[in-house]
Amino acid sequence: MNISIRVEEEKDFKIVEYMTREAFWDLYKPGCDEHLVLHKIRKVPAFVKELDFVACDEDTIVGNVIYSRAKVLNEENKEFEVLCMGPLTVLPSYQKQGIGSLLMNYSIEKARQLGYKGIIIFGNPDYYHLFGFVNAKEYDICTSWDDNFDAFMALELYDGSLRGISGKFYEDEVFKIENKELEDFEKQFPYKEKHVTDTQLKL
């Protein structure tokens, strides 16, 4: 397997949305909305085109990572720009082969070269700690609803780059999905049955 990484192109969009749907289906809830989030991110000003990468096994797209601009707002209402990563997707038949790690390491280095200060995510701590992410409270950053938990993490892109950046984290509105919007978008894809599973997030 010889995996290469390149910037996603418009001709890839539908393939990558289909792959994202396959990868996230029934994972965190019955069905998924990550493919719609991905579709919407590419259309908003927060989208960082230079950090939208696909991993390819020869001509087959097997992974994708995408970033959007977000902000941290401090008590004086001062705004700091940071990156929000996600979704990170690997085609199910290619999972657990290091492709997600390749995409993460590659995109983190590119974000550093582009001069961004930090990346903030919601994700699996066991996985993202491997790339240097730590609980965001270490930088005195909390969620927009003033909370903190292990899955809310931050990464400095160079030593001290998040120093002086504290407050509440706000991702782009694009991550808010309405049920009707998802239902309409789903009509573009082959029917898939939704299931409740033990691994899904308990709300």
Side-chain angles (χ1 to χ4, degrees):
M1 189 168 65
N2 186 16
I3 300 295
S4 59
I5 295 176
R6 62 169 173 80
V7 171
E8 186 186 29
E9 299 171 20
E10 197 168 334
K11 65 180 172 60
D12 307 322
F13 287 0
K14 210 71 205 163
I15 297 163
V16 173
E17 286 165 16
Y18 189 90
M19 175 182 69
T20 301
R21 183 176 183 254
E22 290 297 303
F24 283 97
W25 195 263
D26 286 344
L27 185 61
Y28 297 122
K29 66 177 190 179
C32 69
D33 58 21
E34 282 81 2
H35 56 316
L36 175 53
V37 169
L38 175 70
H39 178 79
K40 289 174 66 178
I41 285 175
R42 302 195 199 99
K43 299 181 172 196
V44 297
F47 173 47
V48 185
K49 194 174 188 315
E50 304 86 349
L51 293 174
D52 176 15
F53 297 109
V54 290
C56 302
D57 181 6
E58 295 183 358
D59 294 332
T60 305
I61 293 174
V62 297
N64 170 246
V65 68
I66 192 167
Y67 287 78
S68 50
R69 293 180 195 87
K71 64 186 178 186
V72 174
L73 211 57
N74 72 9
E75 289 175 350
E76 287 83 46
N77 262 1
K78 187 173 180 191
E79 202 173 290
F80 304 92
E81 186 180 82
V82 291
L83 288 170
C84 175
M85 186 283 297
L88 167 67
T89 307
V90 176
L91 191 67
S93 57
Y94 279 78
Q95 288 174 6
K96 304 200 185 314
Q97 296 181 54
I99 292 166
S101 296
L102 278 177
L103 282 165
M104 282 304 300
N105 288 322
Y106 186 88
S107 61
I108 287 168
E109 183 52 40
K110 290 293 181 186
R112 187 177 288 125
Q113 290 170 11
L114 289 169
Y116 288 98
K117 292 180 182 294
I119 303 167
I120 295 181
I121 61 169
F122 295 91
N124 180 340
D126 291 339
Y127 183 67
Y128 289 104
H129 286 172
L130 301 174
F131 308 103
F133 283 88
V134 297
N135 191 309
K137 72 181 173 192
E138 306 238 353
Y139 300 107
D140 203 17
I141 295 170
C142 63
T143 65
S144 58
W145 60 95
D146 201 16
D147 198 0
N148 214 298
F149 39 87
D150 289 344
F152 180 56
M153 291 168 282
L155 173 71
E156 279 194 325
L157 285 171
Y158 52 89
D159 194 34
S161 62
L162 288 176
R163 197 174 297 133
I165 297 179
S166 64
K168 293 182 178 180
F169 170 71
Y170 293 87
E171 60 195 3
D172 192 85
E173 291 288 317
V174 77
F175 287 91
K176 292 185 172 67
I177 299 289
E178 301 292 333
N179 285 336
K180 177 75 170 70
E181 183 184 20
L182 182 58
E183 280 172 27
D184 289 345
F185 187 62
E186 267 297 301
K187 291 171 185 169
Q188 301 176 31
F189 296 85
Y191 174 76
K192 265 175 94 72
E193 198 167 330
K194 298 176 184 177
H195 304 92
V196 176
T197 71
D198 292 340
T199 62
Q200 290 167 6
L201 302 174
K202 306 291 188 284
L203 299 177

